[in-house]
Amino acid sequence: MTEQHLPPGLIGARVRRKEDPRLLTGRAQFVDDVALPGMLEAAILRSPHAHARIVSVDVSAALELPGVFAVITGAEVAQACALPQPVIWRLIPDQRMTDLYALAHDKVRYVGQGVAAVAAADRYVAEDALGLIEVEYEQLPAACTLDEALADGAPLLYENWPDNVSCRQTVPKGDVATAFAAADVIVSETITYGRQMGTPLETRGAVVSWDPFTDRLEAWLSTQSPNLARDLLGEVLGLPVERIRVRTPDVGGGFGNKFDFYGEEVVAALLSKRSGRPVKIIEDRLESFVANAHSREQRIEVEVAAKSDGTITGMRGTVYGVLGGQLSTVGIGPCWAATVLMPGPYDIPNVEVTVVGVVTNRSPYGSYRGWGQPKANIAHERIVEKLARELGMAANDVRRKNLIAPDKFPYPSPVFYYDSGRYEECLEAAERAVVDRGWAKRQAEAAKEGRSLGIGYSFHIEISAIGPSRILNQAGLQHSGFDEESVRIDSTGGVIVRSGLSAMGQGIQTALAQVAAQTLGVPLDSVTVLTGDTETNPYTGYGTGGSRGAALGGGALLRASTRLREKVLRVAAELLEASPDDLVISDGRISVAGTGVGGRSVSMRDVGDATYRRLDGKLPLGETPTLEERDVLDPDNTAFSYGTTAVLAEVDRETGRVQVLDYLIAHDCGTVINPMIVDGQLHGGAAQAIGGALFEEIVYGPDGQPLTTTFMDYLIPTASELPAFETVHLTTTADHIPGGFKGMGEAGTIGGASAITAAIDDALRDLGVGVVQLPITPPRLLSMIEAAEAGGTATDVEEQS
Amino acid sequence: MTSLDVTMTVNGRTVTGRVEARRTLADFLRKDCAATGVHLGCEHGVCGACTVVLDGCTARSCCTLAVQADGAEVMTVEGLADGTDLHPLQEAFWARHGLQCGFCTPGILLTMRELLADNPDPSEEEIRESLSGNICRCTGYQFIVEAVKDAAAVLRASSADRG
Amino acid sequence: MKPAPLDYIRATSVAHAVQVLAENDGDGKVLAGGQSLVPLLAMRLSQPTVLVDLGGLGELSYIRDESGHVEIGAMVRARTVEISSLIADAVPLLPVALRHVGHVTIRNRGTVGGSTAHADPAAELPAVLRALDADVVVTGPSGSRTIGAADFFQGFLTTALAPDEIVTALRVPKSAPGTRVAVQEFARRHGDFAIVAVFAAVELGASGEIAAARIAVAGADQVPVRAAAAEELLAGQDPSPAVLRAAAAEVAGATRPFDDIHGTADYRKKITAVLARRCLEQALPTAERSSAA
């Protein structure tokens, strides 16, 4: 396999982030820090019922409260909008769409659905006014769980549908029936993945100012996808997009939750139009637990056919996505991804996977870092572990037997072409690191003290660099997937990069600055990266999600900067009376190669001056003034990163508590721009994976009431619950991406739960426990342990709550 | 509903204001004192993003009413650097990649400052325990822990110089 | 999440605070550290007409060494108790237990009076007061009275306080010299409210036998639970594994736990026995245990 080689330099360097000084000193500007003259603050009245018909809404008392400027109801929103809330992922042509508006007007279909909104002098008064709005509901029987929604005679969320199934699609590859008929062994499993969410520490927010005289809209959104949001605001509000400006201030974490387009953005706009004032809506934490995208909740049935030597010949699977009461921006997307990626890194010739999307009286299912892939991963990794137990083999030997070999790339999976990888080498790198860290010895020594330690592995792949626009469109995406970047050198030699990506903590400004600085040969300090304004910055398709920012933005910027460098050399050549081919650039100086220190050279400032200000006799004839290039990268394919996760965990058999003691990721994301940032992304993703495996669950009561609406109940792990993380890196470049970059922003979230469950099984191997429900809370694990000790079925978990 | 006059010192400056009794200290600092480094992550005392120093000890400004802080001395993250010299914790967080989105960072910096004042040479476990009242959703905490260790060493060295 | 409109009065004396409460006829609420109350206000789960802030009452901010007991003023911060050398010597269980209360930042503000009056059954301080037979001093319009912890905690967030009374002090009996203490708390995350926590203070006799034990449990009932049967079982016994196991079972037997999203009643009962055993093991020195075993 060919590899792209970049000269050593800033690409690959552990440089400090350019974003940090502002963030460290309180000088950042998050959306709640935006304050405009005359700005109002809004609050939304939310449904207390899981399923009810709205009989009447009386806002008259709220309107009379001093300090209230505008009130809007669901019926008024529907009237004011050109279109209902959009669904951009339309992967299944005959999918039933929910087509609801930003606020409910006929029925409410989940607790927390918006019904009316108030704009007032401040948030205190807005909340006072919510208490004065009278809504009469007629409560309806609810379908709060997957089983309730699929039951015969279930209450219908959408009365014009025959049932609660929004969509069903089967994706085949090869001949799965023959594979299963000819199998030496068949193993199957049903896995329940709990409802979880991204919970960025900054909740979502919007500040929108609608000029009622010109119909121009200025919006500040805490969003990962400013261009998408602008286009969708235009569609929903019926405005031409050139009148809409979306600014993205500092974003306090996104994790997919802020990729989606929510009703609050629309409500803020309409309240602004109505009041003639800028309107701010900041979701509070309680609201975030019902109004922000939920995710992960699926029931997954998976089975594989295999030969007795461990070779997997066929896979069948069905994913039931628990979608909630209306489709989110990404529709069936994450559940579909979980389904079509279920074979994962394994070379399985015959596959048949089915996705079923089911609406329930719960909050909508949307984006969360990983986007289906943690569930695909738990399906293939749990079934590999089970197959290994069935065959009496080591799980990693079954993995080795089936991992896609390096010479099989590009590898056709049921839907995607995996571009490149050295999967087995990655697995072995992790195995070696585990030996080096002495886990087996720790496990044996603990056993002597009566403690139960386990070692677990998982292998994951991650789709990144999303993605070829036309192919995404053919698949059903109502948006593009390219990225555009621009780079300019100013009259004093300083570099400005403009990007349509959002800076949300992932260090994109630093990563892009490293790419530009290395390519142009300038110091990192001379590069400024500007993000967060659709009016002045380039267009990025999709948004800052799908692990695409650094790969596609970096690739586009590399190409633009390369062309800009050529122009710099042509101008410098004129100044130095030399040939461009003889020039080198280093640290912002352009000199004739081989002349050494003190030789003839000009600075980037000289070149800037010759290009912008004092051109005569300096700028070569035929060159246009200014130094600016742009590039659009619409890649030929996505790029697949991959990794092995290894976990050492301890199980307390008396309480069911699991403590992760050590954590290791061997990882390959092609050319690394900044290893420190990559490690930080892996750590943070792994922390979310641990949360999802052991702690985090959005729990509903039998009446559809959410029971986890505070940080006291939705348990994000703290520093005391998390281990130290170790990373090992391989580099297999993506040859179709300039620079060879692959994305990796979601990597840590994908394989963590699988490795943790494997470690738990290993710690309890004498009991034959196999974890198939996540999160595996202490009560759940204790009941599995007790059932196994009593000789019952170890996988029967008593459902609580 | 009562409105009251309050006076307090915020990052060394005396501020006075008339506030509703129900106004939280966090809102007063953010909106009335322009201390927008005070962040609201949960408004119920769990995440720690709103942590400030109130009369010398850390406090959750979301769990404190502005009127309770009448007469108090308050420090926010805006008061941490010495002029344009970053505090050793700020330097260490920068060098060690101890932050990503930065939303939790102000509260963590002030909490760690208090830890290092009480315990200049904390173990990793002590750092983690002290950090456990502040939720970071981005980093997985490891680089924060390393940054705190580095900053502790710098602070110990500088106090040894002074001593 | 912003509090509903309310009035605010900064009390100038205990008598003033009581008078305001009496005038508001049950619609007033006492503000001490605010660590539990202010979030409840922000969620509008509590909407008092008036808050009476005790923050200015220096007279309630003291720790006094009395004969036989320590008196702690209601406005003393949890953190102050935690690091007090007087408390560490006289009531060693208290600082060990308070280290489990939230985080330092919470303990910097939270007061002992506030935690006592709030009466969260999962909280540490009420359980310790119960284990040590502390008295709660309360003051109302007709003066002060003293209520034993056993009578003070009446139910979930419910106490013997009248609407116009405030907690002014805690009187905590001193532990015998050499008392061994331990806390075993099971929470999902560090600093969270306990799912179950067990608190023990054990006095050993001259030959290593258990002279007396005091055990209380948080999180396993509507009120903090005193494990009297377990204490009786332990008294006079050598701390053998069998004895500790039997006592732990008695501790669990004394509880009447409830279901919530973090654990069923059944789960709470099971781990109460586990934590009680571990707590006693931790309180008792290894050497004596093994020699007794």
Side-chain angles (χ1 to χ4, degrees):
Chain A
M1 144 180 2
T2 62
E3 292 210 5
Q4 301 185 22
H5 287 289
L6 292 160
L10 281 168
I11 294 178
R14 303 179 78 89
V15 297
R16 297 192 300 185
R17 300 197 319 166
K18 298 180 83 72
E19 292 87 341
D20 289 354
R22 296 167 55 251
L23 296 167
L24 284 162
T25 52
R27 301 180 71 82
Q29 187 187 43
F30 294 94
V31 68
D32 194 24
D33 305 334
V34 173
L36 303 177
M39 186 178 75
L40 305 176
E41 295 186 342
I44 294 183
L45 184 69
R46 299 184 180 280
S47 168
H49 303 299
H51 197 192
R53 202 172 305 287
I54 299 172
V55 178
S56 64
V57 182
D58 180 355
V59 302
S60 53
L63 273 169
E64 280 169 26
L65 185 72
V68 170
F69 284 72
V71 181
I72 195 164
T73 65
E76 291 168 331
V77 167
Q79 205 164 28
C81 288
L83 287 173
Q85 288 297 103
V87 175
I88 63 164
W89 278 103
R90 293 174 176 250
L91 292 151
I92 302 176
D94 60 351
Q95 179 172 13
R96 297 189 187 100
M97 291 293 163
T98 56
D99 289 339
L100 300 185
Y101 289 86
L103 295 177
H105 65 96
D106 55 346
K107 292 212 298 189
V108 288
R109 293 176 173 86
Y110 56 94
V111 173
Q113 189 173 6
V115 175
V118 176
D122 67 18
R123 174 81 183 199
Y124 290 79
V125 178
E127 289 189 22
D128 295 344
L130 294 186
L132 299 174
I133 298 176
E134 303 269 353
V135 183
E136 189 187 336
Y137 294 99
E138 175 196 340
Q139 273 189 257
L140 300 170
C144 300
T145 65
L146 179 63
D147 287 331
E148 285 173 17
L150 289 176
D152 286 340
L156 291 180
L157 272 74
Y158 293 86
E159 284 144 34
N160 55 340
W161 297 9
D163 53 31
N164 290 315
V165 176
S166 170
C167 60
R168 184 187 298 268
Q169 184 184 52
T170 297
V171 178
K173 169 184 154 179
D175 178 0
V176 79
T178 304
F180 275 81
D184 294 334
V185 55
I186 294 172
V187 289
S188 61
E189 196 70 277
T190 299
I191 299 158
T192 307
Y193 214 116
R195 187 164 268 251
Q196 300 168 356
M197 62 189 286
T199 50
L201 203 56
E202 179 208 31
T203 54
R204 288 184 304 110
V207 177
V208 184
S209 180
W210 184 323
D211 180 337
F213 298 100
T214 61
D215 279 345
R216 292 192 77 86
L217 203 71
E218 299 234 3
W220 286 254
L221 304 179
S222 182
T223 182
Q224 296 172 230
S225 38
N227 283 286
L228 175 65
R230 178 180 183 228
D231 284 335
L232 296 179
L233 274 170
E235 279 182 13
V236 170
L237 297 170
L239 288 176
V241 294
E242 86 276 4
R243 290 196 206 151
I244 303 172
R245 179 181 190 182
V246 172
R247 271 181 275 191
T248 310
D250 291 298
V251 176
F255 314 124
N257 278 182
K258 292 177 184 165
F259 177 89
D260 297 5
F261 179 81
Y262 294 85
E264 283 81 352
E265 287 88 308
V266 173
V267 170
L270 295 175
L271 284 171
S272 174
K273 185 180 188 185
R274 201 164 261 223
S275 63
R277 301 278 202 111
V279 171
K280 174 187 278 185
I281 295 185
I282 302 295
E283 166 188 88
D284 69 30
R285 185 56 64 186
L286 302 186
E287 291 181 287
S288 84
F289 280 110
V290 291
N292 214 318
H294 289 180
S295 200
R296 303 277 195 259
E297 188 179 12
Q298 295 178 4
R299 180 186 299 158
I300 306 162
E301 297 164 357
V302 54
E303 67 181 335
V304 290
K307 295 186 199 165
S308 54
D309 69 353
T311 305
I312 300 172
T313 53
M315 170 183 266
R316 281 192 191 117
T318 302
V319 168
Y320 294 90
V322 186
L323 295 179
Q326 88 184 77
L327 293 175
S328 74
T329 317
V330 294
I332 194 65
C335 301
W336 182 86
T339 308
V340 301
L341 290 168
M342 202 186 287
Y346 302 116
D347 185 1
I348 305 177
N350 307 293
V351 176
E352 185 181 278
V353 284
T354 299
V355 59
V356 184
V358 182
V359 294
T360 56
N361 291 114
R362 299 185 165 210
S363 290
Y365 187 130
S367 299
Y368 175 23
R369 193 181 194 182
W371 219 75
Q373 297 174 100
K375 280 80 68 186
N377 192 268
I378 199 88
H380 61 69
E381 291 305 275
R382 288 280 73 195
I383 205 70
V384 159
E385 294 271 341
K386 188 164 187 178
L387 177 63
R389 278 201 299 275
E390 184 79 15
L391 295 172
M393 293 173 69
N396 279 354
D397 289 340
V398 175
R399 290 189 176 97
R400 250 184 289 278
K401 195 110 209 151
N402 293 286
L403 284 173
I404 298 164
D407 60 4
K408 291 220 175 169
F409 291 97
Y411 177 86
S413 84
V415 171
F416 299 102
Y417 274 89
Y418 303 170
D419 60 310
S420 61
R422 292 177 288 160
Y423 292 178
E424 190 172 340
E425 268 185 62
C426 178
L427 177 62
E428 283 164 5
E431 288 178 319
R432 279 195 305 277
V434 163
V435 170
D436 291 346
R437 289 170 86 81
W439 287 4
K441 191 166 166 233
R442 281 179 72 177
Q443 187 178 28
E445 278 170 6
K448 284 184 210 151
E449 298 167 13
R451 295 160 57 207
S452 302
L453 269 59
I455 298 169
Y457 287 87
S458 71
F459 198 97
H460 82 264
I461 55 168
E462 176 191 14
I463 187 170
S464 80
I466 290 176
S469 294
R470 288 183 180 82
I471 292 173
L472 292 174
N473 292 160
Q474 285 163 20
L477 177 65
Q478 307 299 306
H479 205 62
S480 53
F482 62 84
D483 188 67
E484 178 185 13
E485 300 285 328
S486 84
V487 56
R488 188 174 78 197
I489 298 174
D490 280 321
S491 62
T492 55
V495 179
I496 300 278
V497 174
R498 289 183 188 275
S499 174
L501 297 163
S502 288
M504 54 199 191
Q506 83 283 43
I508 190 68
Q509 293 176 339
T510 302
L512 292 178
Q514 288 179 258
V515 170
Q518 166 151 348
T519 311
L520 292 168
V522 300
L524 190 63
D525 281 350
S526 70
V527 183
T528 300
V529 178
L530 299 176
T531 57
D533 189 344
T534 57
E535 195 155 288
T536 53
N537 285 15
Y539 194 101
T540 192
Y542 206 61
T544 319
S547 298
R548 63 192 297 280
L552 297 188
L557 182 59
L558 185 72
R559 288 205 305 218
S561 301
T562 302
R563 283 203 305 279
L564 187 57
R565 176 194 171 93
E566 288 162 6
K567 183 167 181 182
V568 165
L569 290 177
R570 292 196 300 272
V571 177
E574 181 86 3
L575 296 174
L576 291 166
E577 297 175 354
S579 160
D581 296 340
D582 295 335
L583 300 183
V584 291
I585 311 182
S586 174
D587 207 26
R589 284 203 85 78
I590 304 101
S591 55
V592 179
T595 56
V597 180
R600 285 185 299 144
S601 70
V602 291
S603 66
M604 204 58 86
R605 187 185 188 105
D606 299 329
V607 173
D609 195 78
T611 319
Y612 284 91
R613 300 187 65 199
R614 287 163 275 258
L615 282 56
D616 187 42
K618 295 178 181 170
L619 186 69
L621 292 175
E623 292 285 354
T624 51
T626 75
L627 288 164
E628 182 154 6
E629 289 289 343
R630 61 181 280 280
D631 206 304
V632 178
L633 178 57
D634 198 358
D636 296 334
N637 189 9
T638 58
F640 276 81
S641 298
Y642 57 94
T644 307
T645 303
V647 167
L648 178 69
E650 175 163 6
V651 177
D652 179 345
R653 293 188 184 216
E654 291 186 310
T655 63
R657 181 200 285 283
V658 176
Q659 181 79 31
V660 179
L661 303 175
D662 205 357
Y663 202 105
L664 184 129
I665 304 172
H667 191 258
D668 187 345
C669 59
T671 306
V672 169
I673 299 173
N674 186 328
M676 192 171 73
I677 290 178
V678 166
D679 281 348
Q681 289 293 307
L682 291 174
H683 295 180
Q688 290 178 349
I690 293 169
L694 299 174
F695 294 94
E696 298 176 32
E697 184 170 29
I698 295 167
V699 179
Y700 279 87
D703 51 359
Q705 291 294 329
L707 303 176
T708 43
T709 59
T710 71
F711 274 163
M712 287 176 282
D713 295 316
Y714 188 79
L715 305 175
I716 294 174
T718 78
S720 286
E721 286 73 55
L722 294 177
F725 301 101
E726 176 74 21
T727 56
V728 175
H729 294 284
L730 288 74
T731 303
T732 310
T733 52
D735 291 334
H736 59 295
I737 308 273
F741 313 124
K742 296 182 177 187
M744 50 73 57
E746 298 164 274
T749 60
I750 299 173
S754 301
I756 290 166
T757 51
I760 294 169
D761 291 358
D762 185 46
L764 300 173
R765 59 198 173 283
D766 55 303
L767 296 175
V769 162
V771 174
V772 291
Q773 183 180 17
L774 295 172
I776 185 70
T777 61
R780 284 182 181 144
L781 188 56
L782 185 65
S783 62
M784 289 181 75
I785 291 168
E786 288 174 341
E789 283 170 341
T793 314
T795 52
D796 282 349
V797 177
E798 181 192 342
E799 185 56 51
Q800 49 134 6
S801 78
Chain B
M1 177 169 36
T2 332
S3 286
L4 300 101
D5 291 321
V6 294
T7 300
M8 63 187 87
T9 307
V10 178
N11 298 323
R13 273 188 91 83
T14 303
V15 294
T16 57
R18 190 161 183 83
V19 297
E20 283 185 359
R22 60 174 168 168
R23 193 166 189 77
T24 62
L25 178 60
D27 282 340
F28 179 73
L29 292 169
R30 286 179 50 72
K31 306 212 165 175
D32 303 340
C33 304
T36 51
V38 176
H39 293 158
L40 290 174
C42 73
E43 295 184 276
H44 53 271
V46 183
C47 81
C50 69
T51 301
V52 299
V53 181
L54 179 60
D55 284 335
C57 296
T58 57
R60 303 269 207 252
S61 62
C62 79
C63 294
T64 310
L65 299 176
V67 289
Q68 287 179 279
D70 186 27
E73 209 165 295
V74 179
M75 190 183 102
T76 69
V77 73
E78 283 92 339
L80 187 56
D82 180 5
T84 56
D85 292 336
L86 295 180
H87 186 276
L89 276 163
Q90 291 169 312
E91 286 283 1
F93 272 59
W94 191 11
R96 285 289 192 160
H97 192 26
L99 68 158
Q100 289 183 24
C101 83
F103 197 80
C104 69
T105 308
I108 288 184
L109 289 170
L110 296 178
T111 306
M112 293 301 100
R113 175 179 173 270
E114 181 171 65
L115 168 71
L116 297 183
D118 289 348
N119 181 358
D121 191 8
S123 67
E124 168 155 352
E125 195 184 336
E126 287 168 333
I127 295 170
R128 285 183 177 271
E129 183 180 328
S130 178
L131 265 178
S132 69
N134 293 73
I135 292 175
C136 169
R137 190 56 160 168
C138 294
T139 64
Y141 304 103
Q142 181 168 334
F143 288 163
I144 296 178
V145 172
E146 291 174 7
V148 174
K149 279 188 206 161
D150 282 5
V154 169
L155 287 164
R156 285 197 304 276
S158 73
S159 75
D161 286 349
R162 280 198 305 274
Chain C
M1 277 186 79
K2 306 294 181 189
L6 48 79
D7 284 332
Y8 169 91
I9 290 172
R10 196 174 177 91
T12 53
S13 67
V14 171
H16 178 214
V18 167
Q19 181 202 335
V20 174
L21 287 177
E23 285 167 3
N24 282 276
D25 204 20
D27 289 333
K29 193 93 186 159
V30 174
L31 177 62
Q35 300 302 286
S36 298
L37 179 57
V38 177
L40 291 173
L41 297 175
M43 295 178 195
R44 302 197 177 203
L45 293 172
S46 175
Q47 298 196 19
T49 48
V50 61
L51 281 181
V52 186
D53 185 1
L54 307 186
L57 299 185
E59 61 189 282
L60 295 183
S61 219
Y62 61 89
I63 300 176
R64 251 194 324 257
D65 189 358
E66 308 274 357
S67 70
H69 70 265
V70 176
E71 185 165 311
I72 309 171
M75 284 302 289
V76 176
R77 313 284 175 181
R79 179 75 173 158
T80 308
V81 176
E82 177 191 344
I83 60 178
S84 153
S85 56
L86 166 58
I87 298 286
D89 291 342
V91 196
L93 183 57
L94 206 41
V96 176
L98 289 182
R99 278 200 275 281
H100 290 270
V101 177
H103 309 276
V104 169
T105 305
I106 299 287
R107 303 199 290 274
N108 282 340
R109 296 292 298 167
T111 64
V112 296
S115 175
T116 303
H118 190 55
D120 191 311
E124 290 80 3
L125 181 61
V128 172
L129 299 181
R130 190 77 180 84
L132 302 181
D133 287 320
D135 286 331
V136 182
V137 183
V138 307
T139 304
S142 49
S144 292
R145 61 185 179 124
T146 298
I147 309 170
D151 298 321
F152 184 82
F153 300 106
Q154 297 191 331
F156 181 79
L157 307 184
T158 307
T159 69
L161 268 183
D164 54 4
E165 285 181 319
I166 61 174
V167 173
T168 47
L170 306 177
R171 285 187 190 142
V172 189
K174 290 182 185 173
S175 299
T179 295
R180 296 169 172 278
V181 300
V183 175
Q184 281 283 322
E185 177 156 327
F186 190 87
R188 294 291 305 284
R189 297 175 303 182
H190 189 269
D192 280 353
F193 272 107
I195 294 178
V196 174
V198 179
F199 305 81
V202 183
E203 294 167 40
L204 293 183
S207 52
E209 84 282 8
I210 297 170
R214 294 171 168 277
I215 303 169
V217 186
D221 209 328
Q222 301 297 316
V223 289
V225 172
R226 181 77 177 269
E231 293 173 3
E232 278 169 34
L233 187 152
L234 287 168
Q237 298 285 318
D238 283 333
S240 70
V243 164
L244 300 194
R245 205 168 281 278
E250 290 287 355
V251 174
T255 62
R256 289 171 304 165
F258 45 86
D259 291 347
D260 71 11
I261 56 166
H262 299 305
T264 58
D266 180 52
Y267 179 76
R268 284 185 149 84
K269 211 164 190 93
K270 280 176 188 154
I271 65 166
T272 300
V274 173
L275 296 173
R277 193 197 75 235
R278 291 178 182 177
C279 188
L280 291 167
E281 287 171 359
Q282 188 188 343
L284 295 161
T286 316
E288 284 155 45
R289 252 191 302 135
S290 52
S291 68

